[in-house]
Amino acid sequence: MRQARFYGLLLFFLIMFPALWIPRLRYISETERLDAGTVSSPGFRSQPLDDSQICEIKEMNEPGELLGIYWLETDFGQENEGSSIADMAERRERWELRPGWSTYFAACSAVWDDLRCFPVAEKTDGSGPTVSFEDSWLYGRSYGGERGHEGTDIIPSLNERGVLPVVSMTDGVVESKGWLELGGYRLGIRAPHGGYFYYAHLDSYADLEEGDTVQAGELLGYMGDTGYSKIEGTTGNFPVHLHMGIYVDAGNEEVSVNPYPALRYVEDERIHYK
């Protein structure tokens, strides 16, 4: 009788243990997606979003936090559970006490919460050149050594420098201006939430200096083909285009993130000129 009772209790615990602990172990495993290194991870840096998610966050004023929680919940799009990004507010408590939350939250806000307009203006009457862009994140580049492309190239239909106005995607402060070997004539704008928005290969600048404040939509310069040379002013080493980059604070370093989803987010918010 005692032996039967013992085996009965043993069977009960063998059944109940997985039922009680498997969800707990899964919870622990999921929350470990967030730590001090998450902002530097390939998943975060790729900024994964599909068309339906971009449409959803266009209805939000500051989508950064909810989008960030959605990525954690779905392992950066690997486990798409069909939840709405708007529903993520109720899951904030699951993540906010994890190590790395403040850095991660700040990085999400830095990418998404200052975006206001597309960085290339177009003519009011639609008669000017058009532009196109694709997701070229980490595509191979060879100038200066083999490397991945840490930005998005915006390509004009007219390969002529000095024609298309480049405007700021955000409010901010001009943090850097001048010649870089890879970027040619470039401007770097530090936006209010801390993101660094990098505009490269410019043909010329607007009347701006380091330390000046800019508003979203303000003229920064004109699209060109400068760069890929130590000699300032070099042009013609590639077709005219705007290289757009976004960088965020990862705690101990600043890392690049894929600008393509952010550009899709503001694709219809164009500044017009006569």
Side-chain angles (χ1 to χ4, degrees):
M1 184 68 178
R2 287 183 178 178
Q3 190 176 32
R5 184 178 299 169
F6 170 78
Y7 283 115
L9 288 171
L10 179 61
L11 180 61
F12 173 79
F13 283 113
L14 288 174
I15 293 171
M16 291 302 296
F17 181 84
L20 293 172
W21 277 97
I22 287 177
R24 177 60 180 169
L25 292 173
R26 180 185 176 190
Y27 176 87
I28 293 171
S29 175
E30 289 175 347
T31 55
E32 286 180 349
R33 293 170 186 165
L34 177 60
D35 58 27
T38 299
V39 174
S40 301
S41 69
F44 177 79
R45 292 182 65 206
S46 68
Q47 299 280 290
L49 279 179
D50 61 29
D51 289 346
S52 64
Q53 292 159 352
I54 288 172
C55 288
E56 182 179 1
I57 63 173
K58 282 184 178 181
E59 304 301 317
M60 304 175 185
N61 290 327
E62 294 187 341
E65 180 182 34
L66 296 185
L67 184 54
I69 296 171
Y70 181 84
W71 281 329
L72 293 174
E73 290 285 328
T74 62
D75 195 12
F76 297 96
Q78 299 301 306
E79 301 173 6
N80 193 333
E81 56 186 32
S83 298
S84 167
I85 295 172
D87 294 337
M88 292 297 112
E90 61 192 42
R91 305 192 187 185
R92 187 183 197 275
E93 292 182 1
R94 186 184 191 196
W95 302 102
E96 63 184 351
L97 297 181
R98 286 287 304 169
W101 168 255
S102 60
T103 299
Y104 178 77
F105 168 67
C108 293
S109 297
V111 176
W112 291 97
D113 291 347
D114 293 314
L115 297 171
R116 296 294 179 268
C117 61
F118 193 72
V120 181
E122 63 181 9
K123 292 198 75 170
T124 303
D125 62 6
S127 64
T130 59
V131 296
S132 61
F133 61 99
E134 63 178 24
D135 190 354
S136 59
W137 178 244
L138 297 185
Y139 281 19
R141 294 291 188 270
S142 58
Y143 180 86
E146 296 298 325
R147 55 192 171 84
H149 186 231
E150 296 185 348
T152 297
D153 289 338
I154 302 175
I155 312 297
S157 58
L158 176 66
N159 186 36
E160 185 175 334
R161 64 180 71 100
V163 174
L164 279 170
V166 174
V167 301
S168 183
M169 297 178 71
T170 69
D171 296 342
V173 176
V174 179
E175 187 168 294
S176 57
K177 175 187 177 182
W179 183 264
L180 289 179
E181 180 180 353
L182 287 179
Y185 290 122
R186 76 17 171 135
L187 274 175
I189 307 296
R190 185 69 65 179
H193 284 88
Y196 181 76
F197 289 75
Y198 173 77
Y199 307 80
H201 308 313
L202 299 176
D203 177 66
S204 59
Y205 295 114
D207 185 17
L208 291 170
E209 300 298 336
E210 291 182 6
D212 288 350
T213 59
V214 297
Q215 302 298 312
E218 185 172 339
L219 179 68
L220 301 179
Y222 288 86
M223 191 185 294
D225 58 345
T226 58
Y228 277 24
S229 174
K230 296 181 185 298
I231 301 172
E232 183 173 346
T234 298
T235 61
N237 285 330
F238 42 75
V240 170
H241 69 281
L242 173 68
H243 172 96
M244 188 71 227
I246 302 176
Y247 296 79
V248 297
D249 182 10
N252 297 321
E253 60 179 340
E254 198 162 59
V255 300
S256 58
V257 298
N258 186 2
Y260 178 78
L263 288 166
R264 289 292 315 281
Y265 175 74
V266 293
E267 187 173 8
D268 297 329
E269 304 301 322
R270 304 291 180 106
I271 300 300
H272 295 92
Y273 66 98
K274 293 183 179 180

